[in-house]
Amino acid sequence: MPCSPDGPESSRKLLMRPECLNSLFRPLASLKGAGKTTAPLMAKLVGGEKAVDLLWHLPSGVVDRRFRPKVAEAPPGALVTLQVVVEVHQAPAPNAPSPYRVLCRDETGFVTLVWFRGRGDMRGLLPVGAERLVSGKVEFFDGVPQIVHPTVVPLDQADTLCRVEPVYPLSAGVTNKALGRLITQTLDTAPDLPEWLDAPLKAREGWPDWRAAVRAVHAPETLQDLDPTTSARRRLAFDELLAGQLALMLVRNAARERPGRVLAPTGRLRAPTLAAVGFALTGAQTRSLAEIDADLTNPSRMLRLLQGDVGSGKTVVALLAMLAAVENGAQAALMVPTELLARQHLETLRGPCAAAGVSVVLLTGRDKGRAREALLARIAEGSAQIVLGTHALFQDDVVFHDLAVAVIDEQHRFGVQQRLALAAKGRAVDVLVMTATPIPRTLTLTQYGDMDVSRLDEKPPGRQPPDTRLVSLERLGELVAAVGRAVAGGTKVYWVCPLVAESETSDLAAVEARHAVLNEALGGRVGLIHGKLKGPERDTVMEAFAGDGLDVLVATTVIEVGVNVPAATVMIVEHAERFGLAQLHQLRGRIGRGGGRATCLLAYASPLGEVARQRLEILRATDDGFLIAEEDLRLRGGGEVLGTRQSGLPGFRLSDPLLVGDLLATARADAQRLVAMDPGLQGPRGNALRTLLYLFERDAAVKTLRSG
Ligand code: ADP
Ligand code: MG
């Protein structure tokens, strides 16, 4: 059932998901065999709640059940499928710890089937005297072959059993069998989709159609079939990259084409503000600001990424950009990912803004009731000129009088949709996004291909890179003593513990235990901060650490983003080997923001592998975030660089742009050509390409076509 091409009818139709994708976009919970408890577990595993998300979950192994020897010929350790007759059941006494055994044979010998865990009566599955196919790994026990927990089917199901089965990455509560069944169901109803690929490219690469490709990747026969270089896998990877690049370019074009407004900075507010901050801009800041000013002055819209290492001074650049809006009688907003960071920004901006007579307000999810209404009123009437906030900023009831500049800090914490939602709150909003994660070029293309980029590649003067050393965790006692000495000398200390997920209670328990030990050793002036704490509790701890209340802060990576405590010049990172390099670099950026040389001790669990040591050595050797990012990428792959924990790149499930660099360049060139020739995607490939964008949920990009 191929997608019917859209006629020239209403453009509304163009902006709706094509019907041919319906079966792929139904909830995976609606599939047969997706139980109430398993469906959410599966959704979590595959990273989405729709049937199509199952298809993006690619097998990582194969089980070959085609080998069908006689019992006497079954080699130890081999995976075999045997055709046997059931002889005797040996059921254990109720509650006895012994396993359930079933003795079977063929004409060449005997084999025992074994189940360890409590099974009911197995006579239904294996009636005495019946013939069955049993499959599993052969082991020898007292000279007799046995198979533990075999798969058992009647003879007439040989076709479904004796084949190569894909093996999927699994998580607790999800079995390969259950997952495989849902994937098969989805594949069975998967539609033919219109071909969006460039025909010559497809022919040159020898790629299959989309439907054939998804079926192929889920039907591997050998380990080679799992390789990312198979034509089916490459095709799907290319599809994903093409969707990504096309979406980025459409969004970029739409932003450029829609008229912006001219916000020529007058300097009326900038001058007193700069005087109040009390330092001169670095060369990099001046250059970035000039780039921003050119965008603001230009009648098209700004969409610019300001990349700069921790401590490179992005905040003041953001402030000056926002002041351009205020100088022109409009408002500006600064959105940050956490409450803590929002509060710190308020502290930083309050003084300089007051000096220029500019009003700044803070809106977070914590503002409730009348206080919130009062804030919203000030934002709506325009008396709040600069609005700082968290996700609370793009809630529906937040209405600006005249928003002209939106700044988004720590861009990687927000999605494109959120960025658009904020920008939609004003008229022709100029957008500046900032990231403290230095991003290598390949990644800039995949993640930020829609933006212009400014780089703060120079730190404010007087900064010394932290003295970074590796220490074995076996010397924990010495570490604690060193912290004691540092505290006695008047420094504050961060003690960072890894947390796989804030929800992992075992990890949390470890952090709490560490806190207890340190607090005991250091006289009760040790605080604890982690993601499970509520906002106000976190702020209380953080304020105590920034002030006089606490000397040491035991923290999970919640301190990662933006937080500033100048008196903290020592950091211990426990289990440093578990962190990404870029993440460690960001953490390390928290210390040494005052004067003097900071110390960062990377405590690792022994023994440290060779690659792990090399990685940590890089941090010792350099403080250049861009360099560290490139090295991290080389050693570990992209996910780490962007601060996410999954392997591969965020937003990419079929392609790892690092492995398929050639495809990325091709996809980019193809997308560029397409957008130049057919910006509204109306031409012959247009319909198919829109289907592609929906398939990869780049809906936001399709919406931009309205104006195209
Ligand atoms: P980040 O890029 O990490 O957001 P910040 O904007 O917080 O960095 O700046 C880090 C620190 O450097 C702040 O204390 C800020 O006041 C200071 N700073 C920024 N620019 C300069 C400069 N040109 N000269 C001296 N100090 C600066
Ligand atoms: Mg910052």
Side-chain angles (χ1 to χ4, degrees), residues 17 21-32 49-54 182 185-190:
R17 190 169 65 220
L21 294 179
N22 286 356
S23 73
L24 295 173
F25 277 75
R26 76 197 135 142
L28 72 80
S30 72
L31 294 171
K32 228 171 66 205
E49 292 175 348
K50 300 167 301 322
V52 72
D53 295 310
L54 292 165
L182 296 199
Q185 257 182 76
T186 309
L187 285 172
D188 286 347
T189 55

Side-chain angles (χ1 to χ4, degrees), residues 279-282 285 308-316 345 409 436 456 460-461 463 564 593:
F279 52 69
L281 297 183
T282 63
Q285 284 169 325
D309 225 335
V310 171
S312 60
K314 293 183 291 298
T315 316
V316 68
H345 274 328
D409 200 5
L456 290 181
R463 292 290 162 77
N564 199 5
R593 302 191 125 204

Side-chain angles (χ1 to χ4, degrees), residues 44 249 253 352 436 463 555 704:
K44 190 165 173 220
M249 274 171 220
N253 264 22
R463 292 290 162 77
T704 67

Side-chain angles (χ1 to χ4, degrees), residues 30 34 101 151 229 267-268 296 302 329 396 399 445 494 615 675:
S30 72
R101 292 199 173 80
T151 304
T229 59
R268 179 173 62 85
L296 293 174
M302 171 164 82
D396 283 342
V399 177
L445 285 187
Y494 284 110
R615 294 177 64 241
V675 172

Side-chain angles (χ1 to χ4, degrees), residues 163-405:
R163 60 184 192 104
V164 183
E165 260 174 41
V167 175
Y168 292 96
L170 298 174
S171 58
V174 180
T175 65
N176 200 58
K177 201 165 157 195
L179 187 61
R181 256 202 309 252
L182 296 199
I183 290 174
T184 306
Q185 257 182 76
T186 309
L187 285 172
D188 286 347
T189 55
D192 281 318
L193 297 178
E195 187 54 83
W196 47 74
L197 292 180
D198 175 46
L201 173 71
K202 186 182 176 198
R204 192 171 68 235
E205 295 279 349
W207 284 340
D209 289 343
W210 179 79
R211 186 154 173 271
V214 275
R215 295 179 80 90
V217 297
H218 287 284
E221 298 234 316
T222 62
L223 286 175
Q224 281 80 48
D225 293 339
L226 303 172
D227 199 277
T229 59
T230 63
S231 63
R233 285 213 180 200
R234 266 171 74 83
R235 191 225 144 109
L236 296 184
F238 185 81
D239 288 346
E240 183 177 46
L241 293 170
L242 181 62
Q245 291 299 306
L246 189 58
L248 288 172
M249 274 171 220
L250 289 172
V251 170
R252 177 192 180 109
N253 264 22
R256 295 254 161 79
E257 274 167 20
R258 275 176 300 170
R261 51 203 284 189
V262 174
L263 294 172
T266 65
R268 179 173 62 85
L269 301 172
R270 280 182 175 183
T273 303
L274 270 176
V277 298
F279 52 69
L281 297 183
T282 63
Q285 284 169 325
T286 306
R287 180 168 31 78
S288 297
L289 189 65
E291 287 161 359
I292 290 166
D293 283 351
D295 291 348
L296 293 174
T297 312
N298 185 308
S300 67
R301 297 209 195 163
M302 171 164 82
L303 181 51
R304 182 169 289 277
L305 174 70
L306 180 61
Q307 264 187 308
D309 225 335
V310 171
S312 60
K314 293 183 291 298
T315 316
V316 68
V317 177
L319 174 60
L320 295 170
M322 293 194 288
L323 286 176
V326 182
E327 285 177 349
N328 283 274
Q331 291 166 292
L334 170 59
M335 183 162 75
V336 301
T338 65
E339 302 244 359
L340 204 59
L341 195 52
R343 279 173 201 285
Q344 285 216 333
H345 274 328
L346 182 66
E347 286 312 309
T348 313
L349 301 189
R350 197 180 264 156
C353 285
V358 172
S359 65
V360 190
V361 301
L362 172 65
L363 181 72
T364 73
R366 233 193 280 161
D367 298 302
K368 298 260 152 66
R370 233 179 272 149
R372 178 178 160 84
E373 271 161 35
L375 268 175
L376 292 182
R378 293 190 58 196
I379 298 169
E381 75 195 17
S383 66
Q385 293 166 304
I386 292 183
V387 183
L388 298 180
T390 56
H391 294 76
L393 278 186
F394 54 75
Q395 307 294 307
D396 283 342
D397 59 349
V398 182
V399 177
F400 285 81
H401 174 66
D402 182 16
L403 178 66
V405 169

